[in-house]
């Protein structure tokens, strides 16, 4: 446990890629395979199911510390993270640590102490936690609390983790990444096989690592499409608004994986049925879309399917789906990812074309003409373009140079900041989580929460202003003077009975700080509802598109 805690601290304490890789390499070389497997489990973003009732930790902390409720809440509001607050207040004092407990193996902690808590009476869990807190130092209480609540997040990507493991095993990181895909259980045998150069992969369901496109023309990267080269060097496709997926047909079985490495085959039985027509040894990359009569439906239709593990007849009829294929990763059981895109595309048309809609190539005479087509994205039910070099291999992760996403401009509104609270982790001492509102009949109505989009200097400046202009405090939340205006960007907007404003926005973020506007100049709810109406009209146009000439699957010129 102590070694993993030290690794966590090392990774959390640096932004250097080289330092993070070096810290993981050192850990994996020294750790026992069973411990290394569990560490890898957490480093790759996997989490234990929540093992404790959500309301247990706070009252238990009050019992352990003897603090009054108001003082604990004030400490929590200042720190901004429950696990860190617990580690500061409830851990053992120096000199009272129990080394025999803290230095037990990570695998022993997980398998013999933490996992057995599930399903036990609350009183047993209470006694066990109080005992651990009284014997463990601060950093171990912090990591333990994160593990118990399923909230442990480590600031490393799977790509960096694979790079470190590749150094330990003498393997290419891409090979490690592939072996880490799909479902696996942390064990000594798994870890040993992961690093074994001669290990055979007998898991028919295993997907490949997804290749991701890099964004164009963002606030941090103002690269324009014409700077990438000539249009003829690229295959241009519409950027679909669905769920990225990998469809696998091996050994007479079908497996459908989401980009989040979740096996979703049973949620989409119509895709599973169509996949039976694919040749054995085929893996397709594509998009799961709400789809009807050759046209995509709004993402909101697909959302009705996402949480249903076994949809019934009614939902299957109301929200039909399909798999739009745009790449061929495996054919006849042979990995084809290193083959140039132009060859993979030709093979894709031969293999998937008869059974699945293909993401047809968009044609234009030059970049300005393509940009003009991009402006019609919302009416087509898509998000812009994906630009793929014709000579590109199918890589892993997000590497600039081969694939780019050129999205439609987001919807925007000018809104007033009315509430703020502290962030988490390194931002736990700064007010970085904000609530924004627009005007309705002279009053401000909340419409969105956002926490990204400002740089570090703006965050610190705004934090100082917010603390000086706090009106009231409700636990960790501050009501602030409604004076600061921000331009919010978001991908979509819809009506929602769950929100006071009557609307819900998708992927809100801060586009810029509108220092040039007074609060009275912010947008009104009436204006926001006009955006909703425009989105609804665009969605209806997509639904009722009558000919393929208006479909994103048609080649355009």
């Amino acid at each position: 446990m102590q070694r993993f805690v030290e690794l966590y601290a090392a990774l959390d304490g640096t932004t250097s890629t080289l330092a993070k890789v070096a810290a993981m390499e050192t850990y994996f070389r020294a750790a026992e395979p069973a411990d290394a497997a569990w560490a890898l489990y957490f480093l790759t973003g996997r989490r234990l199911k929540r093992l404790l009732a959500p309301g247990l930790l706070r009252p238990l902390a009050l019992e352990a510390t003897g603090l009054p409720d108001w003082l604990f809440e004030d400490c929590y509001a200042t720190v901004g993270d429950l696990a860190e607050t617990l580690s500061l207040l409830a851990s053992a004092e120096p000199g009272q640590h129990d080394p025999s407990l803290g230095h037990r193996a990570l695998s022993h902690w997980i398998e013999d102490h933490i996992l057995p808590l599930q399903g036990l009476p609350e009183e047993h869990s209470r006694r066990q936690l109080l005992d651990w807190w009284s014997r463990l130092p601060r950093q171990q209480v912090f990591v333990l609390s994160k593990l118990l609540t399923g909230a442990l997040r480590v600031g490393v990507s799977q790509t960096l983790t694979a790079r470190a493991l590749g150094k330990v095993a003498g393997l290419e990181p891409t090979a490690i990444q592939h072996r880490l895909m799909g479902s696996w259980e942390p064990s000594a045998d798994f870890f040993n096989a992961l690093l074994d150069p001669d290990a055979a992969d007998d898991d028919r369901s295993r997907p490949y690592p997804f290749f991701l496109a890099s964004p164009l023309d963002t606030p941090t990267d103002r690269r324009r499409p014409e700077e990438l080269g000539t249009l003829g060097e690229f295959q241009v496709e519409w950027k679909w608004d669905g769920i990225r997926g990998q469809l696998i047909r091996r050994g007479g079985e079908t497996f459908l994986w989401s980009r989040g490495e979740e096996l979703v085959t049973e949620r989409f039985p119509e895709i599973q049925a169509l996949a039976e027509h694919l040749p054995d040894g085929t893996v397709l990359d594509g998009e799961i879309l709400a789809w009807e009569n050759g046209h995509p439906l709004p993402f909101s239709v697909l959302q009705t399917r996402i949480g249903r593990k076994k949809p019934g007849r009614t939902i299957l009829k109301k929200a039909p789906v399909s798999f739009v294929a745009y790449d061929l990763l495996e054919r006849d059981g042979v990995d084809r990812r290193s083959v140039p895109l132009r060859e993979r595309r030709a093979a894709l048309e031969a293999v998937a074309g008869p059974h699945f809609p293909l993401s047809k190539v968009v044609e234009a005479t030059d970049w300005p003409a393509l940009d003009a087509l991009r402006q019609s994205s919302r009416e087509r039910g898509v998000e812009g373009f994906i630009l793929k070099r014709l000579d590109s291999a199918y890589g892993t992760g997000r590497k600039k140079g081969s694939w780019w996403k050129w999205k439609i401009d987001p919807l925007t509104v000018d809104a007033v900041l009315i509430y703020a609270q502290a962030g988490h982790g390194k931002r736990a001492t700064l007010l970085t989580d904000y609530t924004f509102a627009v005007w309705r009949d002279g009053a401000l109505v909340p419409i969105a929460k956002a926490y990204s989009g400002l740089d570090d200097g703006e965050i610190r400046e705004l934090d100082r202003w917010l603390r000086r202009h706090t009106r009231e405090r409700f636990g960790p939340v501050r009501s602030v003077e409604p004076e600061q205006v921000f331009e919010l960007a978001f991908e979509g907007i819809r009506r929602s009975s769950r929100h006071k404003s009557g609307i819900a926005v998708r992927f809100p973020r801060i586009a810029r700080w509108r220092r040039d506007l007074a609060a009275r100049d912010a947008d009104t709810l009436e204006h926001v509802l006009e955006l909703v109406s425009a989105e609804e009209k665009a969605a209806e146009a997509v639904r009722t598109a009558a000919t393929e000439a208006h479909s994103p699957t048609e080649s355009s010129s």
Side-chain angles (χ1 to χ4, degrees), residues 240-252:
W240 301 99
D241 188 12
I243 301 172
R244 181 83 176 271
Q246 232 174 87
L247 184 60
I248 298 172
R249 183 68 179 172
R250 294 186 186 126

Side-chain angles (χ1 to χ4, degrees), residues 51-52 56 60 112-132:
L51 300 169
L52 300 176
L56 176 64
L60 197 58
D112 297 336
H113 291 327
I114 294 177
L115 290 179
L117 289 177
Q118 191 166 25
L120 291 178
E122 185 176 299
E123 181 58 33
H124 178 94
S125 299
R126 290 178 68 260
R127 291 197 306 271
Q128 188 66 80
L129 279 179
L130 288 172
D131 177 62
W132 288 340

Side-chain angles (χ1 to χ4, degrees), residues 288-509:
I288 303 167
L289 290 169
W291 190 266
E292 191 172 43
N293 297 327
H295 298 274
L297 300 178
F299 184 79
S300 58
V301 178
L302 182 63
Q303 281 182 310
T304 64
R305 295 282 301 270
I306 292 175
R308 300 173 184 266
K309 293 187 176 181
K310 292 187 177 181
R313 290 184 179 180
T314 302
I315 193 65
L316 290 173
K317 184 177 180 180
K318 288 184 176 179
V321 301
S322 189
F323 185 86
V324 175
Y326 47 68
D327 216 326
L328 179 68
L329 311 188
E330 184 178 314
R331 186 178 188 183
D332 298 328
V334 178
D335 184 349
R336 303 281 291 174
R337 292 177 297 159
S338 62
V339 173
L341 173 62
R342 57 170 56 89
E343 296 181 31
R344 299 200 309 275
R345 176 70 192 195
L348 174 67
E349 292 175 357
V351 171
H355 311 294
F356 291 94
L358 298 185
S359 183
K360 297 289 180 68
V361 176
V362 180
E363 298 177 355
T365 55
D366 52 27
W367 289 115
L370 189 65
D371 194 11
L373 281 174
R374 184 176 68 98
Q375 302 307 318
S376 67
S377 295
R378 293 193 190 283
E379 290 73 23
R380 297 171 181 265
V382 293
E383 297 182 313
F385 290 129
I386 296 291
L387 313 175
K388 303 176 181 177
R389 290 195 178 277
L390 287 165
D391 60 357
S392 65
Y394 188 97
T396 59
R398 181 175 282 112
K399 296 179 181 178
K400 289 186 178 180
S402 295
W403 288 17
W404 300 88
K405 53 185 176 182
W406 190 19
K407 298 181 68 173
I408 191 68
D409 296 334
L411 300 170
T412 61
V413 297
D414 292 324
V416 182
L417 194 161
I418 58 171
Y419 299 117
Q421 66 184 92
H424 298 276
K426 294 181 180 179
R427 290 186 171 182
T429 59
L430 295 169
L431 300 172
T432 61
D433 292 9
Y434 315 116
T435 300
F436 298 92
V438 294
W439 293 104
R440 181 179 65 185
D441 300 330
L444 287 167
V445 180
I447 61 162
K449 293 184 178 182
Y451 51 85
S452 63
L454 299 179
D455 62 34
D456 290 342
E458 290 173 321
I459 288 173
R460 288 191 292 270
E461 179 185 352
L462 183 58
D463 178 82
R464 290 191 294 269
W465 187 94
L466 293 169
R467 293 180 189 279
R468 293 195 305 269
H469 295 82
T470 296
R471 289 169 132 185
E472 297 178 86
R473 294 183 64 172
F474 311 96
V477 179
R478 295 169 181 252
S479 168
V480 299
E481 296 290 341
E483 297 179 15
Q484 299 299 333
V485 180
F486 293 81
E487 180 182 330
L488 300 184
F490 42 91
E491 299 304 312
I493 188 168
R494 60 180 176 84
R495 300 183 193 275
S496 171
S497 59
R498 297 174 55 193
H499 297 80
K500 184 179 179 181
S501 62
I503 61 100
V505 298
R506 188 174 171 212
F507 300 142
R509 69 269 190 194

Side-chain angles (χ1 to χ4, degrees), residues 44-58:
T44 53
R46 291 163 170 83
R47 286 179 271 175
L48 301 175
K49 292 182 180 179
R50 180 175 286 173
L51 300 169
L52 300 176
L56 176 64
L57 291 182
R58 278 184 175 83

